Amino acid sequence: MTMKILITGGAGYIGSLLTPALLQAGHQVTVLDNFLFRQNSLTDCCGYDRFEIIRGDCREEPLLKELLREADVIIPLAALVGAPLCEKDKIGTRTTNLEAIQLLCKLAGREQRILLPVTNSGYGIGEPGKFCTEETPLRPISQYGITKVEAEKVVLSRENSITFRLATIFGMSPRMRMDLLVNDFVYRALHDGALIVFEGHFKRNYIHIRDVVRVFEFGIGNFETLRGQPYNVGLNEANLSKLELCAEIKKLIPAFVYLEAPVGNDPDRRDYIVSNARLAQTGFKTEWPLDRGIRELIKGFTILRNTRYSNI
């Protein structure tokens, strides 16, 4: 079924793959983006008559109200993402990550469907050996995690919504981010050959960006079954510590050398393992295991030779 889809922040890391995927599926897609990072990642979409691009801010009420008139589905990707960027701009983080979502929910009609990405960093510091499920209490630590948890509450308080609690994403995108953990580690392994790891025992879950795109497509196609609940989205086999991640990278880049030292700390304090069983029970299956994604990144970082592709 063809849908009219509005994506805020559709020229970002996720949106730059999701937008063309939805167009290829036959949907009509409108993207609202402020092009904060001067990206040109949606130029290949301009040939679609079903594609509309608006340069603007998701916090502008008159603009948002106008764009919502025709939308069947709303995917609010616009956000300041990552703890470092959010600590740098706390006002922008709150107004974009939370207040823009509150505005969206106020303006959207009951029949309009919202699919919101949030972060599983909302789980904060988990209990050793205990999987975080969607019923686990949320204890976000960073400004990023706090605003995303609050935004999720707002969205789930309406009937026609789904939220996806995304694991740490990795993989190539036309609007690349090198500051994500797997992407960063693979880049350093390939170009520096060595890495010093802090908090090496801290565990987190991972998900490939193309599986994130697929989960949004799945959510659109199975909305009535999924609606009204949050879903963890990650690889079941990839609840890994930083040191375990390094070991996986070394399997594909044998010359890679890494060691642990007390030289830093994670502002999110992420240390948990996650169960993705609820989503799996709906029939969704991931297609990109960690090793496949690492191989993709090795090819991508043969092309990209600097780290300017990041949020901070």
Side-chain angles (χ1 to χ4, degrees):
M1 181 178 177
T2 300
M3 296 280 190
K4 295 178 180 178
I5 302 173
L6 171 64
I7 309 177
T8 68
Y13 180 60
I14 297 173
S16 294
L17 284 175
L18 178 59
T19 299
L22 294 176
L23 288 167
Q24 289 163 17
H27 298 294
Q28 181 175 322
V29 181
T30 298
V31 165
L32 170 64
D33 203 291
N34 64 2
F35 296 93
L36 176 65
F37 300 101
R38 301 180 182 179
Q39 66 268 43
N40 60 5
S41 52
L42 296 182
T43 52
D44 61 334
C45 297
C46 296
Y48 286 93
D49 293 334
R50 291 175 280 102
F51 175 61
E52 183 178 6
I53 184 75
I54 309 295
R55 182 183 285 268
D57 197 301
C58 66
R59 298 166 291 186
E60 296 179 25
E61 183 168 350
L63 175 59
L64 195 59
K65 190 173 184 179
E66 179 64 27
L67 294 178
L68 283 171
R69 291 182 190 277
E70 300 294 325
D72 302 312
V73 175
I74 307 149
I75 303 177
L77 299 182
L80 296 188
V81 178
L85 178 61
C86 292
E87 290 301 318
K88 183 179 179 182
D89 184 1
K90 292 183 179 180
I91 294 175
T93 296
R94 185 162 187 85
T95 57
T96 305
N97 294 9
L98 176 58
E99 292 176 12
I101 299 300
Q102 292 170 329
L103 175 62
L104 180 65
C105 290
K106 182 184 81 170
L107 297 176
R110 280 187 172 184
E111 72 286 354
Q112 291 178 302
R113 302 173 172 186
I114 297 178
L115 291 82
L116 175 72
V118 291
T119 170
N120 70 16
S121 70
Y123 294 124
I125 302 173
E127 298 179 40
K130 187 174 181 179
F131 284 89
C132 294
T133 72
E134 291 81 357
E135 308 306 321
T136 299
L138 296 169
R139 296 186 290 258
I141 295 169
S142 67
Q143 181 77 359
Y144 172 58
I146 290 167
T147 55
K148 281 295 190 176
V149 166
E150 291 181 5
E152 181 181 62
K153 291 177 183 176
V154 173
V155 167
L156 289 178
S157 68
R158 67 191 299 276
E159 292 181 3
N160 251 15
S161 301
I162 300 168
T163 64
F164 294 124
R165 295 177 180 173
L166 302 179
T168 297
I169 308 176
F170 65 98
M172 295 299 300
S173 166
R175 204 309 256 187
M176 191 54 186
R177 282 189 61 192
M178 312 283 264
D179 53 332
L180 294 164
L181 193 67
V182 179
N183 296 355
D184 178 44
F185 279 19
V186 173
Y187 183 89
R188 293 173 187 274
L190 189 65
H191 290 302
D192 300 341
L195 178 66
I196 297 176
V197 180
F198 60 84
E199 299 174 336
H201 63 285
F202 276 27
K203 289 196 170 189
R204 64 169 77 179
N205 199 212
Y206 302 95
I207 186 71
H208 192 276
I209 188 169
R210 292 188 183 273
D211 280 328
V212 173
V213 169
R214 291 179 58 252
V215 85
F216 276 103
E217 294 179 299
F218 184 81
I220 292 169
N222 298 273
F223 189 86
E224 289 302 320
T225 302
L226 273 64
R227 71 176 186 149
Q229 293 196 84
Y231 295 87
N232 291 333
V233 183
L235 293 169
N236 291 327
E237 69 277 14
N239 280 295
L240 302 175
S241 71
K242 293 179 183 179
L243 291 174
E244 289 169 335
L245 171 61
C246 287
E248 293 299 313
I249 295 170
K250 187 174 177 65
K251 290 178 183 178
L252 295 168
I253 308 177
F256 176 41
V257 175
Y258 59 93
L259 58 90
E260 186 175 17
V263 293
N265 58 76
D266 186 344
D268 259 342
R269 302 293 295 166
R270 297 189 196 197
D271 186 15
Y272 48 74
I273 55 177
V274 178
S275 168
N276 303 291
R278 175 182 286 181
L279 182 61
Q281 288 166 2
T282 69
F284 181 79
K285 296 180 180 179
T286 56
E287 293 184 350
W288 281 79
L290 185 62
D291 61 341
R292 184 184 179 191
I294 293 171
R295 288 195 298 270
E296 177 203 37
L297 287 167
I298 291 170
K299 287 182 280 188
F301 293 154
T302 302
I303 300 169
L304 303 182
R305 285 289 191 160
N306 62 66
T307 59
R308 67 183 178 88
Y309 303 94
S310 65
N311 278 4
I312 193 165

